[in-house]
């Protein structure tokens, strides 16, 4: 289970962006969270990925309640949730070749030896050619870079995936391709998915169920 | 409808053409500065070992000779050849300047990056220390640092480093703070990277170009700081000719109508430092994102 | 073909970038289209296919390492590709072509209010003060102020928000402010570069409907560059599909999105990838613009490709560049 209970979060004191948001994801379930731009859904996505400490509320991943966020969260809990962001340009370290970008989580967790094989397999899976892996982010298109970012999110085989407007910058074909990759991964591993977005047509097609922002926030 | 099989008639894009001369001028400046600096470095590296003349050789029969073919820069009040003294002085000044700038950059980058990466109390404490140092006039702080030791090269290096790491620490901290809020850092954290790894792999490499630029810009400052100390008689011992010491020594001869013992060391101080500053300006232009983004859509 | 002089007539427009080592990147190849007054052309394609480069070429905003070929002619005969910077700056941008930018919040100066943006544009472009100036500076200022308010009203920007700064506006209002700015010069041609990226669906619909009102009803022409097919469907009279720097299909929007549907296999694939349709991606990846194949650029991904497709570039015929259309 991925459980967010009564989350209030923001970036300034007394000006919360998210107020009293709660949602529960069962193992293997996919939930599409719909909301207008600027409503705070990206902040909630960061909280769900243990990347932002909420002012109030708890996050529980597979029965373990997070006691800290970002670096204070235990590594095994942090890496249980993979995350893909809206803008691949900002989500990729501009100095790294795509190969290193995808392998970085393995190296960071001391699994350097698996990197070469894992990167090759994932590149194939997300549709990145071998020649693209040796380029840096400014040498590839948005779509190609987002493919690499998705591969990076999957390389540690997380049990949960948070996709924050993953396809907002992409054309129809790349959108369909990346959604296909996510669904293939979920079919293989039984991972759960929280997809945040503003396109009801896409999220209804993609996810088991969708919820509107208004339904999950406010007084419980 | 144009026929796709015929080769198109290419012409350079109009519109922004007006910007090109500026770019060419900046290229020229880059080359002139690089050439001047290369000449200075070569002279400093090659002249002392190759020319087996003693810059200390005192010849009281040749005191304060004006520039001539035998002594292109003339001689000083002890009859020493000024060209040789200037080259040796430049060597000492550049060496202290470069080493001090490097030391200041390493310290400043480490403090700035650590403060921004750790945040909280560490950050506040580090920045108060920086403010504390910055509140003391730099030359006073430098004089104080030199006064603690016996005259020599290392006290001067310490003095320069102590007064110059502050700006680098501030620049690096600001850059790291802005990088820290980018999603790619979020992605690294989510991928299990430790605080140390995020700092060393993702944050510091991102600020190195800025820190490097700050280091290059610091070299002229460091050279001038050393010269100021030597001019005050607090720098290097008299037998180690530094440019500041030479200007100071030549000052006495000005009243005797001898301009060359002041002018030539002064030029040796000004021209290479301007060249370094010019190089730094060209580097900064390269860092400008507007120029970097023009490669390809 | 319409009889009226087109608001923009682009013929054989090509852009290439000179790269280090004598290589070339062919960003746009031989693009041709005509845009009639009062109509809207949506240029669709994936990111990196060259559509933004085409927009930059029309506005004279290409970087120094670009070469162009072909022509892009305005009704009065001015060729945008041959015009110098001075002509473009003084008589084209804002006056004959209005630009609706991709991210309006970034397009506005953060330290100035929307009113100050609008008034500056009015002073530069509209000169309402010429007659008022005779009646003194105060009257001239009043005229500028009134014109700025009218401009805001035209783009449905609420007068109550005129004194706000860009960061105080929602995405939709920032988009309206940018549209108001683009409309001030009363340019007969609007160029919208990805105006809906990052906006939510309702906002996309509203932005697109407003742009449409400013074009069709006001007799302006609109060139909209987008990767959002739903937005293109809502606004366009004509759809041009770009792939690897070439316009591979130009079709009336009704036929393209309805029946008989797109004729080029790439365009068919793009539509089939929509979540409301088959939601199936086109297999493979687009070719590098620096190393285009000799034949059809889509051949490697195309289900219908044969030997001829791989060796011979299909010439556009009745709006489609495909050997099998």
């Amino acid at each position: 289970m991925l459980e967010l209970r009564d989350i209030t979060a923001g970036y300034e004191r007394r000006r919360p962006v998210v107020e009293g948001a709660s949602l529960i994801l069962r193992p293997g379930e996919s939930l599409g969270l719909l909301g207008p731009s600027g409503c705070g859904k990206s902040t909630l996505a960061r909280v769900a990925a243990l990347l932002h400490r909420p002012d109030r509320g708890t996050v529980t991943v597979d029965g373990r309640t997070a006691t800290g966020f970002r670096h204070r969260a235990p590594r095994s809990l942090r890496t249980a949730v993979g995350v893909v962001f809206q803008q691949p340009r900002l989500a990729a370290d501009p100095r790294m070749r795509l190969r290193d970008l995808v392998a970085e989580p393995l190296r960071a967790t001391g699994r350097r030896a698996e990197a070469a094989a894992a990167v090759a397999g994932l590149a194939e899976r997300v549709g990145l050619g071998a020649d693209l892996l040796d380029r840096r982010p400014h040498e590839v298109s948005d779509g190609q870079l987002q493919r690499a970012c998705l591969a990076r999110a999957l390389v540690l085989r997380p049990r949960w995936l948070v996709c924050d407007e993953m396809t907002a910058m992409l054309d129809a074909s790349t959108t369909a391709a990346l959604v296909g990759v996510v669904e293939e991964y979920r079919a293989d591993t039984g991972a759960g998915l929280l997809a945040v977005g503003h396109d009801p047509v896409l999220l209804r097609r993609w996810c088991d169920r969708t919820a509107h922002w208004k339904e999950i926030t406010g007084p419980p | 409808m144009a026929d796709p099989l015929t080769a198109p008639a290419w012409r350079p894009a109009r519109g922004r053409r007006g910007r090109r001369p500026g770019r060419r001028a900046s290229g020229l400046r880059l080359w002139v500065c690089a050439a001047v600096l290369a000449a200075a470095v070569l002279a400093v590296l090659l002249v002392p070992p190759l020319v087996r003349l003693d810059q200390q050789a005192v010849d009281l029969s040749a005191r304060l000779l004006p520039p001539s073919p035998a002594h292109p820069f003339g001689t000083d009040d002890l009859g020493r050849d000024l060209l040789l003294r200037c080259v040796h002085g430049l060597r000492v000044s550049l060496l202290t300047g470069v080493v001090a700038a490097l030391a200041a950059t390493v310290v400043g980058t480490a403090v700035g990056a650590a403060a921004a990466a750790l945040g909280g109390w560490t950050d506040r404490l580090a920045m108060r220390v920086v403010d504390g140092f910055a509140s003391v006039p730099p030359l006073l702080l430098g004089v104080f640092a030199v006064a603690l030791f016996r005259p020599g090269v290392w006290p001067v290096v310490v003095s320069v480093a102590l007064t110059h790491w502050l700006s680098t620490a501030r620049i690096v901290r600001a850059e790291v703070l802005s990088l820290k809020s980018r999603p790619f850092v979020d992605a690294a954290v989510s991928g299990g990277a430790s605080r140390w790894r995020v700092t060393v792999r993702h944050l510091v490499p991102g600020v190195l170009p800025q820190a490097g630029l700050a280091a290059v810009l610091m070299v002229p400052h460091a050279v001038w700081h050393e010269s100021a100390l030597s001019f005050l008689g607090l720098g290097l011992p008299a037998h180690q000719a530094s440019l500041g010491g030479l200007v100071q020594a030549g000052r006495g001869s000005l009243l005797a109508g001898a301009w060359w013992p002041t002018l030539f060391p002064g030029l040796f101080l000004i021209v290479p430092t301007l060249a370094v500053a010019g190089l730094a300006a060209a580097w900064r232009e390269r860092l400008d994102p507007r120029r970097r983004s023009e490669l390809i859509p | 073909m319409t009889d009226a002089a087109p608001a923009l007539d682009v013929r054989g427009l090509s852009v290439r970038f000179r790269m280090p080592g004598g290589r070339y990147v062919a960003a746009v190849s031989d693009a041709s289209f005509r845009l009639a007054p009062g109509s809207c052309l949506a240029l669709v394609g994936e990111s990196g296919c060259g559509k933004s480069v085409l927009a930059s070429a029309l506005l004279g905003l290409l970087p120094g390492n670009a070469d162009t070929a072909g022509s892009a002619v305005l009704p009065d005969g001015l060729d945008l590709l041959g015009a110098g910077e001075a002509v473009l700056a003084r008589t084209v941008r804002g006056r004959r072509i209005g630009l609706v930018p991709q991210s309006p919040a970034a397009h506005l100066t953060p330290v100035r209010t929307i009113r100050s943006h609008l008034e500056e544009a009015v002073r530069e472009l509209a000169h309402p003060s010429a007659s008022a100036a005779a009646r003194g500076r105060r009257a001239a200022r009043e005229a500028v102020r009134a014109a700025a308010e009218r401009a805001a009203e035209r783009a449905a920007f609420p007068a109550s928000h005129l004194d706000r700064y860009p960061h105080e506006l929602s995405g939709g209002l920032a988009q309206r402010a940018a549209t108001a700015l683009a409309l001030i010069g009363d340019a007969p041609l609007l160029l919208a570069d990805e105006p809906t990226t990052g906006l939510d669906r309702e906002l996309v619909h509203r932005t697109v409907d407003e742009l449409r009102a400013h074009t069709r009803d006001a007799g302006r022409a609109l060139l909209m560059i987008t990767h959002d097919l739903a937005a293109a469907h809502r606004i366009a009279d004509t759809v041009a599909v770009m792939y690897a720097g070439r316009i591979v299909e130009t079709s009336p929007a009704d036929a393209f999105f309805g029946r008989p549907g797109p004729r080029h296999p790439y365009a068919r694939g793009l539509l089939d990838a929509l979540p409301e349709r088959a939601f199936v991606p086109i297999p493979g990846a687009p070719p590098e613009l620096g190393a285009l194949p000799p034949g059809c650029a889509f051949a490697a991904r195309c289900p219908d490709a044969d030997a001829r497709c791989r060796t011979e570039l299909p010439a556009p015929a009745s709006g489609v560049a495909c050997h099998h259309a």
Side-chain angles (χ1 to χ4, degrees), chain C residues 38 44 101 113 116 127 160-161 182 194 210 242 246 259 291 294 308:
Chain C
V44 301
T113 61
S116 123
H127 307 296
S160 56
H161 286 55
E194 300 272 8
E210 284 166 6
M242 208 160 175
R246 262 173 212 284
R259 293 191 175 277
R308 184 170 168 225

Side-chain angles (χ1 to χ4, degrees), chain B residues 26-296:
Chain B
S26 106
L28 184 68
R29 185 178 64 182
L30 179 74
W31 283 111
V32 168
C33 292
V36 167
L37 209 63
V41 169
L42 274 181
V44 152
L45 290 179
L46 296 181
V47 169
L50 287 183
V51 182
R52 306 227 55 99
L53 289 172
D54 187 2
Q55 52 120 351
Q56 301 279 17
V58 173
D59 181 358
L60 291 176
S61 65
R63 292 173 56 189
L64 283 181
L65 289 180
S68 67
H71 300 286
F73 284 12
T75 60
D76 67 4
D77 54 352
L78 291 174
R80 292 177 291 197
D81 181 64
L82 267 174
L83 176 57
L84 219 48
R85 296 275 288 167
C86 280
V87 171
H88 276 265
L90 184 64
R91 177 190 173 96
V92 171
S93 291
L94 269 186
L95 202 70
T96 13
V98 169
V99 172
L102 275 179
T105 302
V106 169
V107 173
T109 305
V111 172
L118 293 174
W121 270 108
T122 325
D123 185 24
R124 259 170 270 171
L125 186 71
M127 283 303 110
R128 288 303 84 76
V129 171
V130 168
D131 290 344
F133 271 97
S135 64
V136 185
L139 201 57
L140 196 66
L141 188 65
V143 166
F144 178 73
V146 180
L148 287 178
F149 304 96
R150 290 203 303 182
V153 172
W154 290 109
V156 172
V157 169
V158 169
S159 161
V160 177
L162 203 62
T163 50
H164 285 72
W165 65 278
L166 309 165
S167 55
T168 309
R170 286 211 179 104
I171 293 168
V172 167
R173 175 176 173 269
E175 284 285 317
V176 168
L177 279 183
S178 94
L179 285 181
K180 222 178 132 180
S181 62
R182 303 267 175 91
F184 76 79
V185 174
D186 275 355
V189 175
S190 173
S194 62
R195 215 183 273 270
W196 169 254
R197 191 177 174 88
V198 167
T199 309
V200 171
R201 285 277 290 172
H202 300 281
L203 296 178
V204 171
V207 302
L208 282 186
Q210 300 285 340
L213 174 63
V216 176
L217 277 171
M218 205 188 293
V219 170
H221 278 272
V223 169
W224 281 83
H225 189 94
E226 181 275 320
S227 300
L229 286 175
S230 295
F231 185 82
L232 292 173
L234 288 162
L236 305 172
H239 65 274
Q240 276 179 312
S242 90
L243 292 173
L246 287 177
V247 173
Q248 200 257 352
R251 206 171 44 120
S253 311
L254 271 180
L255 291 176
W259 44 269
W260 52 94
T262 321
L263 178 73
F264 289 115
L267 282 180
F268 261 58
L269 192 56
I270 292 166
V271 173
T273 51
L274 279 182
V276 173
L279 276 185
W283 184 351
R284 181 159 47 198
E285 249 167 56
R286 289 205 88 109
L287 286 181
D288 186 350
R290 263 178 317 175
R291 285 206 52 192
R292 272 193 300 182
S293 65
E294 275 187 15
L295 280 172
I296 195 176

Side-chain angles (χ1 to χ4, degrees), chain C residues 227-272:
Chain C
H227 68 255
D228 185 342
L229 291 169
H233 188 185
R234 206 171 168 96
I235 192 168
D237 303 300
T238 312
V239 179
V241 183
M242 208 160 175
Y243 182 74
R246 262 173 212 284
I247 294 182
V248 294
E249 172 167 356
T250 312
S251 289
D254 295 340
F256 186 85
F257 289 105
R259 293 191 175 277
R263 292 169 290 165
H264 194 279
Y266 172 68
R268 266 202 302 276
L270 211 52
L271 275 192
D272 279 343

